Amino acid sequence: MEFLDKRIKGICNELKKLSVKQTFPVENWTFKKGNFVHPEDAEKSKIAWEAFDSRTMHWYGPDQHYWFKTEYVVPKQLNGKRMWLHVKTQIDEWDDGKNPQFLLFVNGIATQGIDMNHRDVLLSSEAVEGDVLCLEIQSYTGILHTEFNLIVEMREVDYDIEKLYYDLWVPLSAFSRMEKDGKVRRDLENILNNAINYLDLRSPYSDNFYKSLSEGSIYLDKALYSEMSGFSDVIATCIGHTHIDVAWWWTVEQTREKVGRSFATVLKLMDEYPNYKFMSSQPQLYVFLKERYPELYLKVKEKITEKRWEPEGGMWVEADCNLTSGESLVRQFMHGKKFFQEEFGIDNKVLWLPDVFGYSGALPQIMKKCGIDYFMTTKLAWNQFNKIPNDTMIWKGIDGSEVLTHLITTLGVEQPIKDFFTTYNGMLHPDSIMGGWERYQNKEINNDILISYGYGDGGGGPTREMLETSIRMEKGIKGIPKVRQEFSRTYFDELQERVGDNKRLPVWEGEFYFEYHRGTYTSMARNKRSNRKAELGLMNLELLSLLAKDHIDYPTDELDSMWKTILINQFHDILPGTSIHEVYEVTKAEYEEVAEKLEKMKKERVKALVKAGEGITIFNTTGYLRNDSVNLGDCSAKALADEDGKLYPVQQTKDGGLVYLENLPSKGYKTFEKVFTTDVIQPMNYFNRVSDFEIETPYYKIKLDEKGLFSSIYDKEYDREIVQEGMKANLIRMYEDKPIYYDNWDIDIFYTEKYWDVDSYESMEWTE
């Protein structure tokens, strides 16, 4: 009994090898170096085709594109067989989508993405001898390696052998999370051992071999997948996913390619596995697909109509929720929900943000007002010190708004429970799913966990191995969570019914602070500054456009385009500053272009609103009545006069005329007359000298001692003394190398030569 699991594993490995019955090399490749989107683009290119010998030649990176092409004639040996294409480069590891990736075209049709996790493509369930296939591979080197092979084979894969392999492998893979001497594991071991006892492996592919294979398979179907199945005490709701960072170790342009490859893979596997359901958030990704591969986009729409593909997620992109303004967060929802509604007839209810670096306490209010009822994330589990104590809870915002929240708890294969790392790129693997249930912190109120499974960042999402595993785990094998393929929206709707009224449902109030990525407020300051200026500029332009709509057309399309540029650059690896240098060169150019458009369109609308004349019109685009200083630029007037004749003196500075104005209307403007004579200007009596040591302003009564220090500052508005009795204020110190300390004064005010110029309120506009 001690070595049964090792015996079963050895037989599994042998069956996996035997499942590939025949292999045939695919040769006679030609290639062009270049980034081509479709086969016709490669054909039209003036670059000459060159021969590529797979046995002796290599192709080279990093960050390079190639296009490979050949014709393959189906040989007699594959007639009527399941025919698979297998591609390898001799690079075996997977690293965040930075390795070689491909898109296969068969007879001019985009068929499937190929990467380290998706090396095989089912070309035919019954191949026909003599058929000619034009095979073309759009190829990208990735950014990690410099030299690659291109080894392509055509294979026959035996269905019966492959089936028994997975029938054995799935329960075997659960042993790592089971009690070693527990009854369930012992029962499973006995059944698996009995099944392999039927096998005659002495003469593979012989009649005796297939007879024994059939007997073992029939036994296993009955003993395990019938008599020991049907258990649903723990459920894992699984939804296929490929989390694609819009930019990170790559630019947005490379993401356009990743979307095509990954979505093509999903569509191909959906054709092979009727039970496969998939979700993808971020409307921007769908726009990329629609622009680049409209034929694949139409197939996605078909799968959405069939309720196999779930377009859910709420936001335009999975945006940063720390630095993004409240107005922009609303726009993320507005544009995101609008796209899914108009394109697919789907009203999003789930905010899907697995990878974002923390969440403002204002977000629940914004979500609820945007029609979002549910929130999903997972990365908060990475906190180093303050662990989030629940995985299913109510998240209450600072205004009291509440949303049902669930944190995905999937672990890596054989990852210890004590390691709180969880992943949205989960494996649909018995060990991972069992670990996710063990890791789950709210078992007392809920027995159903959500699993987001599939390779992300261009990794093509779920694999055939995961989907084969799902078929077995959907049976509800004893001791293993029962898997069901279902949409995230369905999961949350059912979770609401299950726990919504439960008195033990915990509540988290306020911010979800993520401890792991702390540089998000400071990295790439130029980019953050440009984002904020663009946000403010767009809001100002919208107001001016509305005020001027009777004089000049409202720029709906232009505003929509600029907002989407801002929204995509609020992606959680762009705005926080975690992307590569090239990403920020692109955003720099985009922000500059937006700034130029904003300035041009703003001036057009101001000109339409204000008649030419001698006066000056001041715009206040904030939402409140405003008293503030305004820089008038090159203005020689001595004062400005409002409609009531009140005068506001203009002070000339090196930066232009400076004036302090009062009662500027919110979301509006006010026109002032220029005054050039000084005799009509009465001094504004802001300071009244009461005595040699006392002055009074409209706001304060101030007393000084013989050294010029404040002995009293009385706040007239709030009726209180600011300086403590017996204390002094306004000590000015000048330092050289070392500070000089005085013990007889207690309150210090420091003046330095350098200062911060904070210009976050740039909405005061003027024109002559």
Side-chain angles (χ1 to χ4, degrees):
M1 296 291 287
E2 192 66 30
F3 300 102
L4 281 184
D5 58 339
K6 296 178 177 60
R7 179 175 186 250
I8 299 163
K9 183 177 181 181
I11 297 298
C12 276
N13 291 338
E14 186 64 22
L15 288 173
K16 187 174 184 180
K17 294 176 185 176
L18 291 173
S19 67
V20 180
K21 292 184 68 173
Q22 303 182 81
T23 63
F24 303 89
V26 179
E27 299 177 321
N28 302 316
W29 292 94
T30 59
F31 80 95
K32 289 184 179 184
K33 189 175 181 181
N35 187 4
F36 308 111
V37 178
H38 300 93
E40 53 267 31
D41 301 327
E43 291 295 339
K44 292 176 184 177
S45 168
K46 295 181 180 179
I47 300 173
W49 290 100
E50 299 181 53
F52 186 88
D53 187 341
S54 298
R55 295 165 297 181
T56 61
M57 295 177 66
H58 296 83
W59 52 301
Y60 302 94
D63 197 29
Q64 298 296 316
H65 292 82
Y66 289 73
W67 190 279
F68 294 97
K69 178 181 179 181
T70 192
E71 286 191 347
Y72 183 77
V73 180
V74 177
K76 179 179 180 180
Q77 297 92 319
L78 287 174
N79 187 53
K81 309 296 185 182
R82 296 171 79 226
M83 186 172 72
W84 296 76
L85 185 76
H86 181 78
V87 179
K88 52 189 174 182
T89 65
Q90 304 300 84
I91 304 295
D92 292 328
E93 81 277 9
W94 178 252
D95 189 355
D96 294 317
K98 294 176 281 191
N99 280 312
Q101 297 163 62
F102 310 90
L103 180 58
L104 173 68
F105 290 80
V106 180
N107 296 332
I109 298 173
T111 301
Q112 183 187 307
I114 300 172
D115 54 58
M116 302 303 100
N117 308 300
H118 303 82
R119 300 170 186 257
D120 299 292
V121 184
L122 178 61
L123 294 181
S124 176
S125 296
E126 293 185 32
V128 177
E129 177 188 354
D131 274 0
V132 179
L133 303 179
C134 178
L135 304 176
E136 298 179 74
I137 304 178
Q138 178 201 78
S139 308
Y140 177 62
T141 64
I143 60 175
L144 287 181
H145 303 283
T146 58
E147 184 176 275
F148 311 90
N149 296 107
L150 182 68
I151 302 170
V152 185
E153 298 174 339
M154 206 64 75
R155 294 178 167 183
E156 177 196 353
V157 179
D158 189 294
Y159 171 80
D160 293 328
I161 300 174
E162 187 181 59
K163 175 186 179 299
L164 184 56
Y165 160 74
Y166 282 115
D167 286 347
L168 292 165
W169 178 84
V170 169
L172 177 66
S173 298
F175 285 5
S176 54
R177 295 279 180 186
M178 291 183 173
E179 184 182 348
K180 191 168 185 179
D181 199 34
K183 185 178 186 310
V184 172
R185 173 167 168 168
R186 288 303 187 191
D187 289 345
L188 288 172
E189 279 182 332
N190 286 329
I191 291 173
L192 299 182
N193 188 56
N194 291 339
I196 64 176
N197 283 339
Y198 282 96
L199 298 181
D200 182 351
L201 301 178
R202 292 172 296 176
S203 300
Y205 313 127
S206 65
D207 289 343
N208 285 338
F209 168 78
Y210 279 110
K211 180 176 180 295
S212 71
L213 191 76
S214 176
E215 290 172 345
S217 185
I218 291 171
Y219 167 77
L220 203 56
D221 285 344
K222 181 176 185 295
L224 178 61
Y225 291 103
S226 178
E227 294 176 357
M228 202 174 174
S229 67
F231 293 88
S232 57
D233 48 336
V234 176
I235 299 171
T237 299
C238 295
I239 184 67
H241 185 53
T242 177
H243 172 78
I244 299 179
D245 283 321
V246 174
W248 183 32
W249 283 96
W250 48 83
T251 62
V252 174
E253 187 59 34
Q254 177 54 220
T255 298
R256 296 174 185 271
E257 298 179 32
K258 288 178 178 289
V259 170
R261 292 188 290 258
S262 289
F263 284 10
T265 301
V266 173
L267 291 166
K268 183 67 168 66
L269 292 181
M270 279 190 166
D271 290 340
E272 299 174 29
Y273 293 91
N275 66 320
Y276 176 21
K277 291 186 178 180
F278 177 84
M279 75 84 63
S280 184
S281 62
Q282 305 191 104
Q284 181 66 72
L285 301 183
Y286 293 80
V287 172
F288 287 160
L289 186 72
K290 187 176 183 179
E291 293 172 346
R292 192 175 180 91
Y293 297 110
E295 70 279 14
L296 291 178
Y297 185 74
L298 289 176
K299 290 182 180 179
V300 168
K301 294 190 76 171
E302 290 175 5
K303 299 303 180 186
I304 292 172
T305 301
E306 295 170 8
K307 302 201 181 303
R308 304 269 313 279
W309 185 303
E310 181 184 26
E312 185 61 80
M315 289 185 174
W316 183 255
V317 297
E318 292 176 12
D320 169 81
C321 296
N322 293 316
L323 298 143
T324 305
S325 71
E327 180 69 26
S328 288
L329 288 172
V330 172
R331 303 302 175 114
Q332 290 282 355
F333 285 114
M334 184 181 79
H335 286 284
K337 294 191 67 173
K338 180 182 178 184
F339 181 89
F340 280 151
Q341 181 69 54
E342 292 180 350
E343 291 288 316
F344 312 126
I346 303 295
D347 182 20
N348 285 176
K349 294 295 183 181
V350 181
L351 176 55
W352 183 273
L353 294 182
D355 192 28
V356 176
F357 312 152
Y359 308 93
S360 163
L363 198 54
Q365 178 184 11
I366 295 172
M367 290 166 60
K368 294 298 287 187
K369 289 184 178 295
C370 291
I372 299 292
D373 297 325
Y374 310 124
F375 175 58
M376 189 289 295
T377 188
T378 181
K379 214 165 186 177
L380 290 167
W382 299 12
N383 275 5
Q384 294 169 287
F385 305 107
N386 300 291
K387 303 296 184 182
I388 305 298
N390 296 286
D391 299 308
T392 299
M393 70 198 96
I394 292 294
W395 181 19
K396 180 184 287 189
I398 54 180
D399 77 319
S401 297
E402 296 182 346
V403 291
L404 180 61
T405 297
H406 181 78
L407 277 57
I408 285 178
T409 59
T410 316
L411 300 182
V413 176
E414 298 188 7
Q415 177 190 328
I417 297 298
K418 65 180 181 180
D419 180 358
F420 258 52
F421 172 86
T422 59
T423 180
Y424 44 87
N425 293 320
M427 301 294 101
L428 206 168
H429 183 291
D431 182 281
S432 286
I433 292 177
M434 293 170 75
W437 170 248
E438 291 177 26
R439 161 67 177 76
Y440 182 56
Q441 300 175 104
N442 299 96
K443 299 182 183 71
E444 72 281 3
I445 62 172
N446 177 43
N447 71 329
D448 188 346
I449 58 173
L450 180 63
I451 305 290
S452 164
Y453 71 97
Y455 288 96
D457 293 327
T463 63
R464 286 183 175 82
E465 291 78 6
M466 295 177 194
L467 295 171
E468 291 286 350
T469 300
S470 179
I471 291 171
R472 277 83 183 166
M473 292 186 69
E474 287 170 30
K475 302 286 187 181
I477 304 168
K478 188 175 183 179
I480 305 174
K482 181 179 180 179
V483 159
R484 63 169 187 156
Q485 295 269 341
E486 194 50 83
F487 284 174
S488 65
R489 169 72 176 276
T490 301
Y491 174 83
F492 272 103
D493 284 343
E494 294 176 357
L495 183 66
Q496 175 66 48
E497 290 184 16
R498 209 161 39 244
V499 306
D501 296 327
N502 195 310
K503 294 180 180 179
R504 300 181 71 181
L505 180 64
V507 177
W508 180 278
E509 187 167 355
E511 179 185 13
F512 271 131
Y513 179 66
F514 183 43
E515 297 172 350
Y516 199 70
H517 296 339
R518 294 185 182 88
T520 57
Y521 287 97
T522 54
S523 302
M524 290 303 302
R526 181 193 71 197
N527 195 66
K528 292 173 170 53
R529 181 176 186 270
S530 296
N531 169 74
R532 188 68 80 234
K533 283 181 170 291
E535 288 175 325
L536 293 169
L538 276 166
M539 288 188 286
N540 290 344
L541 178 59
E542 286 180 333
L543 173 63
L544 294 171
S545 298
L546 183 63
L547 294 174
K549 65 181 178 63
D550 293 334
H551 308 285
I552 187 170
D553 290 342
Y554 191 87
T556 302
D557 293 340
E558 293 90 339
L559 286 168
D560 185 76
S561 176
M562 284 188 285
W563 263 116
K564 286 176 180 174
T565 298
I566 305 310
L567 297 182
I568 191 173
N569 286 330
Q570 289 168 346
F571 180 75
H572 64 258
D573 275 314
I574 299 179
L575 183 55
T578 48
S579 293
I580 58 174
H581 170 80
E582 290 81 358
V583 170
Y584 297 107
E585 291 304 301
V586 174
T587 62
K588 181 175 183 289
E590 289 177 341
Y591 282 131
E592 288 174 350
E593 182 180 354
V594 167
E596 290 177 6
K597 288 181 180 178
L598 287 173
E599 186 64 21
K600 178 177 179 293
M601 296 174 71
K602 180 187 72 176
K603 288 182 177 179
E604 290 172 349
R605 278 140 189 85
V606 167
K607 185 176 180 180
L609 282 168
V610 180
K611 296 179 180 179
E614 297 298 323
I616 290 181
T617 299
I618 309 295
F619 288 83
N620 172 21
T621 59
T622 65
Y624 53 88
L625 192 68
R626 190 168 179 182
N627 303 331
D628 215 331
S629 298
V630 181
N631 191 325
L632 303 175
D634 185 16
C635 176
S636 59
K638 303 297 183 181
L640 299 183
D642 64 16
E643 68 275 12
D644 297 323
K646 185 174 181 179
L647 295 176
Y648 299 90
V650 175
Q651 179 182 355
Q652 295 300 326
T653 72
K654 64 178 182 179
D655 297 319
L658 191 66
V659 63
Y660 175 80
L661 300 172
E662 296 177 340
N663 298 321
L664 297 171
S666 67
K667 299 293 184 182
Y669 53 93
K670 191 173 183 179
T671 300
F672 298 84
E673 180 184 351
K674 294 179 183 178
V675 177
F676 292 95
T677 58
T678 59
D679 55 343
V680 298
I681 303 174
Q682 299 295 322
M684 300 185 72
N685 191 20
Y686 284 118
F687 292 91
N688 178 29
R689 182 175 176 179
V690 179
S691 69
D692 289 345
F693 296 100
E694 292 182 62
I695 58 175
E696 185 172 351
T697 77
Y699 306 103
Y700 299 101
K701 293 180 180 179
I702 300 172
K703 295 181 180 180
L704 297 88
D705 67 7
E706 65 279 2
K707 295 180 179 179
L709 300 180
F710 293 151
S711 58
S712 172
I713 302 176
Y714 183 76
D715 188 328
K716 295 163 67 174
E717 181 178 0
Y718 292 99
D719 190 24
R720 68 188 184 106
E721 174 62 49
I722 295 175
V723 179
Q724 295 182 35
E725 185 176 355
M727 302 293 184
K728 302 292 177 67
N730 197 36
L731 172 65
I732 300 175
R733 292 174 176 170
M734 296 182 64
Y735 297 125
E736 293 184 32
D737 294 332
K738 296 181 179 179
I740 302 173
Y741 295 101
Y742 296 91
D743 295 331
N744 54 334
W745 294 305
D746 301 276
I747 302 176
D748 299 345
I749 299 177
F750 297 97
Y751 290 83
T752 62
E753 293 182 358
K754 295 183 179 180
Y755 62 94
W756 289 104
D757 181 14
V758 182
D759 57 351
S760 58
Y761 285 91
E762 293 195 322
S763 53
M764 300 287 288
E765 304 291 349
W766 68 274
T767 184
E768 292 195 41

